[in-house]
Amino acid sequence: MKLNKEEFLADVNAILRGDYACDLASANKKERYNALSKAVMMKAYDAWMKSTQSKQKRCAYFSAEFLMGRAIYSNLLNLGVLDEARKIMSSVGVDLGEFEEVEDAALGNGGLGRLAACYLECAASRDLPLDGYGIRYRYGLFRQTFADGFQHEEGDDWLKWGDPWSVRVEREAVKVVFSDQTVWAVPYDMPIFGYRNGVVNTLRLWQSEPLRPFDFASFNEMKGERIAEENFNATKITDVLYPNDNTMVGKILRLRQQYFMVSASLQDILRKYKKTGKPLSELPEHRVFQLNDTHPVLAIPEMLRLLRLEGLSFEEAFDICSRAFNFTNHTIMAEALEKWDALALKDLLPAVYEQIVTCQQKLEKEGADPNRYYIVKDGIVHMANLAIYVCAKVNGVAQIHTDILKRETFRDWYEKYPDKFVNITNGITPRRWMLLNNPEMAKEIDKRIGTQWHTELSELSKLDPVLTEMLPAFRGIKKKNKEKLAAYIEKAEGVKISPDFAFDVQVKRLHEYKRQLLNALSILYFYYEIKEGRMKDFTPTAFLFGAKAAPGYYNAKAIIKFINEIAKLVNGDEAVSRYMKVVFVQNYNVSYAEKIVCAADISEQISMAGMEASGTGNMKFMLNGTVTLGTMDGANVEICEEAGIENNYIFGARVEDVPDIKKFYSPRQILAENPALKRVVETMIDGTFDDGGTGVLRKLYESIVEGYDPDHYIVLYDFADYVRVKEQLLRDYGTDEFYLKCLKNLAHSGKFSADRSVSDYSRLIWHI
Ligand code: 26W
């Protein structure tokens, strides 16, 4: 796309006149944002129509979450007009940076949702026909604030700036029928721009609305209250994103959301497919579906139901589904594997439930051992089993994760269907996670190896011969990014950190398995060592955290409080805060991540081995030139393969050691043998910290030293090795050797481009 200054400003002014009866001179920021975005949308319209009307085979990515972040800058970048737009706007006195206030579209919780967003962008950039289908939540992931160190949640009103990057397509609304209600699903389409290639795919998000418009006749017949209730129940379905990450909540409203999304999407896709006149039996040659974890797995029985309404037999319908659907698993956490109460499902969706039961019967008829293979058992529907039984391919998201799925989580299924299982290691889009968030670094790389790496990230390895030469520039840019982040943190969090400190960062959802607590305990250990004079030359370090805890996750919230108490102690201690600062930033989200990732020196990826399916934050840091301080878990394993284990800082139990460690695990014994560790652990109960009388810190303490399964994630076991490696890392920090390691990581991050991931999906699964 090209922007002509006069023409573009005329477009913007025309939109301002029509929509707000004003012009650029009098418009406010929100009006400017909407008009500028709409003007770009108008220019992209032809390309969008052309892409969507093509006749090629397409894949539909079904996901309850798309964590898109902010659209404006990345869209302008991908359309190739970011610099031009900046210039044009500044010629009329508008700083494009003013739109940094625009809310993120946070329609996702964490890794799974952000992965979906990266995949859409990368597929468009590789000219792969992939469209997203999901839910247009009125409120995304809650906004987080801290008061007295405790997390508080507020509604996320992401639409308050308007939604100029979507179009409402009311003419394609479909009805979704539950046993007790029928609602409209109205699609909102968001264009997904490929990187400078003219391709535009679509993210279609469904919004629930009442069937009847406001009806005065019934209102006058005194039915007003019932109508109000009906309207409320209809809009309630897509009102809010469930804020749980890795924990299943058996709420019927969530089941409603899932069915709403898949039913609307499939009706829409089938309606369009039927118009092509091709037979339904050929559907899988033209349409395939990727199910992003179990959340959209109801799509399978819903498709069976819809196909049977078209007159197909169960066997015919099953055959189509078994060729069209594929399933990605994103976690081995038992509490995340979705299971629904069979009676509740039957009550809400009788015809869908019937198809599930028929699948179970088919499985039985095939003579499968009912103790090992079941979909419905003891009144529970097992969504992952349904997915594996029907789908053509099942994939894990990093090599170690896929191995665990085969060996443990889905062992029986793997034995029965070995060919279904494939690994596709996750990736990230290098456009948002380098070109956009770290433009200076990108330019520095361009100077040395050209720009091909923008779309073929493995090209970065061409930097290998010039890494040493690049060191001064790398240091300089990193320093500038750190200055910027420090200024932002001072403004947003009210804490001053020095850009001369090492920036040691752990940002991700708050979960016990991710072990933010391990990091916290090490910081407290360093604190006492410094304070009491045992650690004389501690490398000045800023320890940064960002994480949201699910509102009902008690221990996760306790860990936030604990870290905030540590921050208060450390930052308020003049003698120690010369060597360390601790900041837990509020409301960590995609936009905050963009600022943090390019400024980090150390990437903390310290989950208990075997628990983090892949991680994708680890890849973002690597691309931006940080070393990983981590366990051999998830994609860390592959990061070490690519960049060299000697260029990262690996510690802790390996996945194969964990079972033996847990056999005779005694946290008390570890504490007895490590008085320094005992001391920092006991700060949770000895009055060092004040939890406002809530008892959360004591409960946290108890969870790691007491009860039937204390310290489930072996924080205490890994502590000593973690501290040993972390100390080594901090000693290395700042040297040329250290920054060479950082650069080595950057130069070998090619594998982790989601361009590669979507190409793998296309080649191994979608065949598009
Ligand atoms: C039903 C509640 C629920 C909600 C979200 C269960 C499970 C989830 C997600 C599957 C959790 C998730 O986001 N998993 C993460 O997926 C990323 C993308 O593949 C991986 O990189 C992370 O390791 C994994 O934790």
Side-chain angles (χ1 to χ4, degrees):
M1 184 185 286
K2 277 241 145 24
L3 293 186
N4 169 284
K5 180 174 157 185
E6 279 67 39
E7 197 187 300
F8 186 67
L9 289 175
D11 285 350
V12 171
N13 270 313
I15 295 167
L16 285 172
R17 270 199 303 278
D19 285 1
Y20 308 105
C22 68
D23 61 12
L24 266 170
S26 55
N28 68 21
K29 201 182 284 183
K30 179 175 167 182
E31 291 158 348
R32 285 195 290 273
Y33 166 66
N34 279 278
L36 183 141
S37 306
K38 278 288 171 213
V40 175
M41 282 282 272
M42 275 162 52
K43 282 188 73 73
Y45 176 82
D46 287 340
W48 194 5
M49 287 307 111
K50 196 174 132 232
S51 287
T52 51
Q53 281 161 10
S54 88
K55 299 250 168 338
Q56 53 194 333
K57 179 175 178 182
R58 300 189 79 82
C59 176
Y61 199 85
F62 280 11
S63 179
E65 305 188 10
F66 288 92
L67 187 39
M68 302 301 283
R70 203 176 279 139
I72 181 166
Y73 301 117
S74 104
N75 284 349
L76 293 174
L77 175 80
N78 280 20
L79 290 166
V81 295
L82 183 57
D83 293 336
E84 273 168 279
R86 204 187 298 282
K87 267 189 224 134
I88 295 174
M89 294 320 280
S90 93
S91 77
V92 291
V94 177
D95 174 9
L96 209 58
E98 70 176 9
F99 304 131
E100 290 221 8
E101 275 174 47
V102 174
E103 301 290 319
D104 277 22
L107 309 185
N109 272 289
L112 158 134
R114 184 54 231 174
L115 186 78
C118 281
Y119 281 3
L120 292 183
E121 195 274 345
C122 290
S125 295
R126 287 250 155 139
D127 195 7
L128 291 168
L130 178 75
D131 299 310
Y133 289 83
I135 297 174
R136 187 174 193 259
Y137 300 105
R138 176 65 188 79
Y139 298 95
L141 185 60
F142 65 86
R143 165 176 284 279
Q144 176 198 54
T145 58
F146 297 146
D148 198 21
F150 289 103
Q151 168 175 293
H152 288 259
E153 302 97 25
E154 288 163 28
D156 161 58
D157 186 10
W158 71 283
L159 292 168
K160 73 173 168 228
W161 282 83
D163 184 19
W165 296 102
S166 294
V167 288
R168 178 180 169 97
V169 193
E170 210 172 283
R171 64 183 175 282
E172 296 191 9
V174 299
K175 282 182 191 170
V176 175
V177 182
F178 301 89
S179 60
D180 58 352
Q181 70 175 152
T182 301
V183 298
W184 280 119
V186 182
Y188 282 73
D189 285 355
M190 215 177 264
I192 305 294
F193 302 113
Y195 181 64
R196 293 174 166 236
N197 64 355
V199 175
V200 192
N201 290 336
T202 302
L203 169 58
R204 171 158 279 199
L205 298 178
W206 299 96
Q207 172 167 297
S208 65
E209 296 185 11
L211 217 49
R212 283 187 292 202
F214 189 76
D215 174 352
F216 259 102
S218 341
F219 190 74
N220 287 337
E221 287 164 39
M222 302 294 292
K223 290 185 191 149
E225 258 172 54
R226 247 204 56 215
I227 294 171
E229 192 186 316
E230 242 178 67
N231 290 357
F232 174 78
N233 285 333
T235 52
K236 202 165 87 175
I237 298 175
T238 56
D239 205 34
V240 62
L241 166 77
Y242 274 96
N244 299 76
D245 187 88
N246 270 302
T247 335
M248 152 91 185
V249 282
K251 290 271 191 295
I252 292 299
L253 183 58
R254 187 172 161 97
L255 189 61
R256 260 186 226 276
Q257 289 186 336
Q258 298 186 348
Y259 180 68
F260 171 81
M261 152 180 101
V262 300
S263 179
S265 307
L266 289 175
Q267 290 183 61
D268 178 41
I269 289 167
L270 277 182
R271 181 171 65 188
K272 286 177 182 157
Y273 179 73
K274 273 161 53 187
K275 277 198 192 137
T276 67
K278 297 191 180 88
L280 287 168
S281 58
E282 280 173 23
L283 181 93
E285 279 114 77
H286 307 281
R287 288 271 177 268
V288 286
F289 304 91
Q290 192 66 39
L291 304 177
N292 203 21
D293 218 276
T294 51
H295 321 155
V297 165
L298 280 175
I300 294 171
E302 172 65 357
M303 181 70 121
L304 291 170
R305 185 186 75 84
L306 291 169
L307 291 174
R308 296 193 69 186
L309 285 179
E310 296 291 331
L312 273 62
S313 70
F314 177 80
E315 288 300 332
E316 288 167 333
F318 189 95
D319 173 67
I320 292 172
C321 289
S322 70
R323 289 183 291 135
F325 284 105
N326 305 285
F327 166 61
T328 307
N329 170 277
H330 294 266
T331 179
I332 61 151
M333 302 276 304
E335 59 263 43
L337 289 183
E338 285 191 302
K339 299 177 181 78
W340 294 104
D341 181 80
L343 283 181
L345 210 163
K346 184 180 176 192
D347 260 357
L348 188 71
L349 305 163
V352 173
Y353 182 69
E354 207 182 296
Q355 304 305 319
I356 296 176
V357 170
T358 315
C359 288
Q360 168 68 31
Q361 288 162 350
K362 180 176 161 69
L363 179 60
E364 285 168 17
K365 254 191 257 147
E366 288 168 357
D369 176 354
N371 293 315
R372 299 169 72 199
Y373 303 100
Y374 48 83
I375 295 162
V376 191
K377 189 178 177 184
D378 302 333
I380 304 283
V381 183
H382 297 256
M383 300 309 284
N385 293 354
L386 174 60
I388 301 171
Y389 180 49
V390 181
C391 285
K393 295 283 178 201
V394 175
N395 77 285
V397 292
Q399 192 58 57
I400 186 177
H401 169 61
T402 303
D403 292 343
I404 293 171
L405 291 183
K406 293 179 182 176
R407 203 173 56 228
E408 287 159 37
T409 321
F410 301 136
R411 179 195 187 116
D412 291 331
W413 291 100
Y414 175 61
E415 198 182 295
K416 194 172 169 68
Y417 302 117
D419 299 337
K420 281 198 188 194
F421 287 76
V422 291
N423 173 249
I424 301 196
T425 298
N426 281 168
I428 58 167
T429 168
R431 270 72 64 182
R432 185 180 290 265
W433 298 110
M434 178 65 115
L435 293 183
L436 202 60
N437 77 324
N438 201 350
E440 298 296 320
M441 195 70 79
K443 269 184 223 123
E444 195 56 41
I445 298 168
D446 289 351
K447 268 196 249 165
R448 294 183 154 82
I449 59 168
T451 60
Q452 233 205 308
W453 65 274
H454 297 182
T455 51
E456 187 47 71
L457 200 65
S458 54
E459 288 277 307
L460 285 180
S461 66
K462 290 196 174 151
L463 289 170
D464 264 337
V466 295
L467 292 184
T468 313
E469 213 175 283
M470 224 182 120
L471 266 183
F474 179 82
R475 278 175 182 261
I477 294 164
K478 184 74 88 184
K479 180 75 184 292
K480 265 203 216 153
N481 293 342
K482 289 168 75 169
E483 284 164 2
K484 271 199 207 150
L485 177 64
Y488 185 81
I489 286 179
E490 185 171 2
K491 203 175 80 197
E493 319 297 338
V495 187
K496 227 183 152 104
I497 52 177
S498 164
D500 294 324
F501 279 29
F503 282 15
D504 177 321
V505 181
Q506 187 173 18
V507 288
K508 49 184 76 259
R509 280 301 288 254
L510 204 312
H511 208 294
E512 284 161 291
Y513 85 78
K514 295 176 186 283
R515 302 199 296 190
Q516 282 94 350
L517 185 59
L518 176 58
N519 191 352
L521 292 172
S522 80
I523 294 168
L524 205 46
Y525 166 78
F526 292 141
Y527 171 79
Y528 287 121
E529 293 298 291
I530 296 167
K531 176 105 184 140
E532 289 159 12
R534 288 182 295 275
M535 225 175 234
K536 293 252 158 42
D537 45 7
F538 189 76
T539 302
T541 305
F543 297 98
L544 307 180
F545 293 86
K548 290 180 182 178
Y553 189 171
Y554 190 92
N555 267 356
K557 289 183 138 178
I559 292 168
I560 291 181
K561 174 63 177 168
F562 184 51
I563 295 172
N564 276 326
E565 284 298 307
I566 295 173
K568 198 162 77 182
L569 174 74
V570 169
N571 301 348
D573 187 328
E574 253 175 66
V576 180
S577 64
R578 305 210 312 269
Y579 298 97
M580 60 196 285
K581 283 275 176 79
V582 181
V583 187
F584 204 132
V585 306
Q586 298 169 88
N587 203 41
Y588 172 67
N589 60 9
V590 171
S591 289
Y592 221 138
E594 289 168 21
K595 296 183 168 65
I596 291 174
V597 159
C598 63
D601 297 302
I602 301 157
S603 156
E604 299 254 5
Q605 310 297 339
I606 59 177
S607 50
M608 179 175 91
M611 297 311 299
E612 190 68 272
S614 161
T616 44
N618 46 1
M619 302 170 183
K620 292 160 198 164
F621 286 106
M622 180 197 199
L623 172 59
N624 282 268
T626 74
V627 295
T628 296
L629 169 54
T631 47
M632 272 301 181
D633 198 16
N636 299 352
V637 176
E638 289 159 76
I639 286 176
C640 290
E641 275 168 23
E642 296 297 305
I645 197 164
E646 69 284 5
N647 293 311
N648 287 294
Y649 292 84
I650 303 302
F651 72 94
R654 311 292 153 152
V655 65
E656 60 274 16
D657 303 333
V658 172
D660 281 341
I661 293 165
K662 299 206 96 177
K663 240 177 240 159
F664 306 104
Y665 193 46
S666 167
R668 282 185 192 282
Q669 193 185 334
I670 295 177
L671 293 182
E673 287 163 8
N674 189 340
L677 174 58
K678 181 161 190 278
R679 178 192 188 179
V680 295
V681 168
E682 286 183 350
T683 58
M684 290 182 235
I685 51 165
D686 67 6
T688 305
F689 299 125
D690 178 8
D691 65 10
T694 57
V696 295
L697 294 185
R698 174 167 291 276
K699 281 253 176 64
L700 185 59
Y701 172 84
E702 288 169 359
S703 77
I704 56 172
V705 295
E706 287 170 12
Y708 160 72
D709 179 24
D711 192 16
H712 187 72
Y713 299 107
I714 59 169
V715 168
L716 302 184
Y717 181 90
D718 273 345
F719 180 84
D721 201 35
Y722 177 56
V723 167
R724 178 184 66 80
V725 173
K726 199 165 182 171
E727 283 178 358
Q728 181 61 52
L729 195 171
L730 289 174
R731 272 195 297 277
D732 293 352
Y733 172 79
T735 61
D736 275 356
E737 292 72 46
F738 176 82
Y739 281 108
L740 263 179
K741 290 181 182 193
C742 292
L743 267 171
K744 232 349 199 218
N745 275 280
L746 184 156
H748 290 266
S749 59
K751 176 175 182 184
F752 305 106
S753 168
D755 294 341
R756 189 270 312 149
S757 309
V758 293
S759 290
D760 284 357
Y761 275 98
S762 177
R763 186 168 38 82
L764 299 170
I765 302 181
W766 304 332
H767 310 295
I768 50 173

